[in-house]
Amino acid sequence: MTKTIVVKIGTSSLTQPETGQLALSTIASLTETLCNLRNQGHQVVLVSSGAVGVGCARLGLTERPRAIALKQAVAAVGQGRLMRIYDDLFTTLQQPIAQVLLTRADLVQRSRYLNVYNTFHELLGLGVIPIVNENDTVAVEELKFGDNDTLSALVASLVEADWLFLLTDVDKLYSADPRTVPDARPINLVSNIEDLQIQTGGKGSQWGTGGMVTKISAARIAIAAGVRTVITQGRSPHDIEKIIQGEAIGTHFEPQPEPTSARKRWIAYGLVPAGKLYLDDGAIHAISEDGKSLLAAGIKTIEGEFDSQEAVQLCDINGHEIARGLVNYNSEELQKIRGCHSRDIQGILGYVDADTVIHRDNLVLI
């Protein structure tokens, strides 16, 4: 049965930890594995980090740059070199590939989001393996994915994948960092991500930007889209085939049985929230338990400046995020009508754009 499989490999798996030079044997093994999957009839997408790391090695830099302009310049050097290596290896196995560079802005605007979706659909239909990376050369800080774990989960959601593999420098998820906590317990299966109790370290290797925190966040996005997600060892790409065949390798996150709609996933994870609305208990119950729209009466305070139809976070009074949604009024209007009954909006503003602040069709629980 044909599956759509997204594989994300991090800089820590692609490079030698001591030098930052490419780990060619791992890349060759990964290429071989992905070609095997294609030959079995599966659709495959590769999300590959490594442009900045490869650029550093090419330019003789001994550590990853912190200044964003320098990092973007180094990424520009590294991305072409990385793609050349992939192209050489995949061409040897007669597998066509494509380069897809994305920024968060490509997913924020609905028309561009749909355009990206159509591009992936055509590439996969042609039997091509798209190789995806964040477009580090042009991405601005406030519109960055931040790490390729998040990017891979959004891509998996976009293409409605069956599997997302997050290849990293540990074999699975542990209750704490096994490199520093000897009795850390391995976690083989996560049925409910809300029950996950682990101590996560900071970011990963000196050459990468990810860590376990970002992988768990990525898993949260993917399983909401109905994508089974696996964290496993990046140095052993052949394990991917074994896992698909049923072997118990790595940590598996079970997908939600009823995935949220593509539009609601776009609202929840594709958009960058422009502000926050703090709600009273009645409003929280109405939207989370009863599936109702958000009314002005339930809003206690507002944070940030935003226009109508922008995404905002809906929080309880302690700042805990409950949901996200697209607002029907801008922040200035909401400051005037918050806490008021819907029938009073006409008298306060002189007009009514909508009875609801966020309609339930544009609201998604987090």
Side-chain angles (χ1 to χ4, degrees):
M1 186 177 169
T2 299
K3 302 284 188 188
T4 300
I5 300 160
V6 177
V7 178
K8 181 264 173 180
I9 188 161
T11 303
S12 64
S13 302
L14 285 171
T15 55
Q16 307 286 357
E18 306 80 22
T19 62
Q21 296 282 352
L22 284 173
L24 292 173
S25 59
T26 300
I27 299 172
S29 177
L30 175 68
T31 303
E32 198 171 54
T33 299
L34 300 187
C35 288
N36 288 346
L37 293 172
R38 272 291 310 126
N39 292 335
Q40 291 162 27
H42 302 304
Q43 297 183 322
V44 179
V45 179
L46 174 61
V47 178
S48 177
S49 304
V52 175
V54 172
C56 286
R58 182 72 183 88
L59 296 169
L61 303 179
T62 54
E63 62 178 33
R64 190 183 180 91
R66 288 179 174 81
I68 191 160
L70 178 57
K71 191 190 294 184
Q72 289 174 321
V74 170
V77 172
Q79 183 63 33
R81 195 168 177 82
L82 184 63
M83 284 305 298
R84 181 191 167 178
I85 291 161
Y86 277 128
D87 195 44
D88 285 347
L89 290 168
F90 278 107
T91 299
T92 303
L93 297 172
Q94 298 179 319
Q95 171 60 50
I97 62 170
Q99 175 176 250
V100 180
L101 296 176
L102 296 176
T103 66
R104 192 79 189 231
D106 296 318
L107 301 185
V108 167
Q109 196 178 338
R110 186 72 180 156
S111 59
R112 285 167 74 175
Y113 179 90
L114 293 171
N115 190 43
V116 172
Y117 170 85
N118 290 332
T119 300
F120 274 113
H121 184 74
E122 292 298 330
L123 287 170
L124 294 173
L126 290 167
V128 173
I129 295 180
I131 299 182
V132 186
N133 197 358
E134 179 160 16
N135 196 349
D136 284 313
T137 305
V138 299
V140 292
E141 196 61 41
E142 61 270 23
L143 276 179
K144 283 180 71 65
F145 294 105
D147 59 86
N148 275 352
D149 295 319
T150 303
L151 173 59
S152 68
L154 291 169
V155 168
S157 170
L158 181 76
V159 302
E160 297 171 334
D162 299 285
W163 291 87
L164 169 62
F165 290 91
L166 299 172
L167 304 186
T168 184
D169 53 358
V170 291
D171 60 340
K172 61 182 65 178
L173 193 60
Y174 287 82
S175 57
D177 188 339
R179 292 170 292 196
T180 55
V181 182
D183 58 350
R185 288 179 297 100
I187 299 169
N188 299 318
L189 180 66
V190 179
S191 299
N192 185 349
I193 202 165
E194 302 307 328
D195 296 336
L196 197 58
Q197 297 288 326
I198 63 166
Q199 295 171 286
T200 51
K203 70 184 186 72
S205 70
Q206 64 157 327
W207 299 104
T209 56
M212 271 308 154
V213 175
T214 65
K215 285 168 183 59
I216 294 165
S217 298
R220 188 185 299 274
I221 295 169
I223 62 174
V227 183
R228 189 174 188 88
T229 303
V230 182
I231 294 175
T232 189
Q233 179 74 260
R235 298 284 184 196
S236 308
H238 288 304
D239 284 347
I240 294 171
E241 291 180 83
K242 296 176 185 174
I243 292 167
I244 291 171
Q245 288 160 11
E247 287 195 34
I249 299 169
T251 298
H252 291 236
F253 293 79
E254 286 189 342
Q256 287 183 11
E258 294 181 19
T260 49
S261 70
R263 177 177 165 77
K264 289 202 170 185
R265 295 199 304 271
W266 170 69
I267 292 170
Y269 304 114
L271 300 180
V272 179
K276 290 182 180 179
L277 307 183
Y278 293 87
L279 312 182
D280 63 25
D281 291 341
I284 290 169
H285 188 275
I287 65 174
S288 58
E289 302 298 328
D290 301 334
K292 292 186 175 178
S293 301
L294 175 65
L295 304 178
I299 302 171
K300 296 184 76 68
T301 55
I302 293 158
E303 189 179 297
E305 293 182 11
F306 46 85
D307 291 324
S308 69
Q309 299 309 309
E310 283 201 284
V312 297
Q313 295 171 289
L314 307 183
C315 304
D316 63 19
I317 54 170
N318 298 316
H320 178 68
E321 186 177 10
I322 308 297
R324 291 186 186 185
L326 302 179
V327 285
N328 291 324
Y329 292 92
N330 66 33
S331 51
E332 196 175 327
E333 292 166 328
L334 283 181
Q335 289 289 6
K336 295 174 183 174
I337 64 173
R338 66 181 172 84
C340 300
H341 198 282
S342 298
R343 64 172 171 262
D344 299 328
I345 294 175
Q346 173 77 45
I348 296 168
L349 297 179
Y351 54 86
V352 178
D353 281 341
D355 290 337
T356 60
V357 172
I358 300 177
H359 192 274
R360 64 185 181 188
D361 290 347
N362 292 328
L363 190 153
V364 56
L365 300 175
I366 297 295

